Amino acid sequence: MPEYRISVDGDSSGRDLRQLTQWLRQDTPIRTGATITLQPAHLAEGQMGTTLDVIALVTQSGFSAASLAMTICAWRRTRPSTPVVTIERNGVRVTVDSGDPADVTRIVRALESE
């Protein structure tokens, strides 16, 4: 099953990530199309420091990357500092740093490429 890994840049306390997790769990298309969990991030070998959490979405068939991108953009608009969110799938990493429709299209195309 496909898996998305989502992180919030500059979120050392993990507060934004936990709030994004709650936001995703309240979104019906996301909640019904994926299992959403918080997991420790993988540190590179030899890297020191506190492991940060990531959101892992294990998706079912029919899951919409477009819905995920739009939901994350909507969440970012509710934040006072509009944090940058990184989404990874199959080694492809994209950043969500705006809510521009062209940016959402770019994100979806990148995430849906095999």
Side-chain angles (χ1 to χ4, degrees):
M1 296 208 154
E3 180 176 330
Y4 294 82
R5 295 179 64 79
I6 303 166
S7 61
V8 178
D9 296 354
D11 184 29
S12 61
S13 70
R15 192 186 98 212
D16 284 336
L17 194 69
R18 288 188 300 276
Q19 290 175 345
L20 177 55
T21 302
Q22 287 304 107
W23 186 276
L24 293 170
R25 287 178 176 157
Q26 292 172 3
D27 184 82
T28 301
I30 303 294
R31 181 182 68 233
T32 58
T35 302
I36 304 165
T37 58
L38 277 171
Q39 297 180 348
H42 300 290
L43 291 176
E45 186 175 329
Q47 185 177 5
M48 296 176 64
T50 308
T51 50
L52 301 174
D53 290 334
V54 295
I55 301 170
L57 276 80
V58 178
T59 62
Q60 301 170 16
S61 64
F63 181 81
S64 169
S67 180
L68 176 61
M70 292 183 341
T71 300
I72 289 173
C73 288
W75 173 79
R76 287 183 71 252
R77 285 192 300 272
T78 69
R79 313 304 311 151
S81 64
T82 57
V84 175
V85 176
T86 301
I87 307 169
E88 182 176 353
R89 177 175 178 247
N90 294 336
V92 175
R93 293 174 58 98
V94 293
T95 56
V96 182
D97 54 8
S98 82
D100 183 289
D103 201 35
V104 172
T105 301
R106 172 190 62 85
I107 293 163
V108 172
R109 283 189 183 138
L111 292 174
E112 289 182 340
S113 66
E114 291 293 328

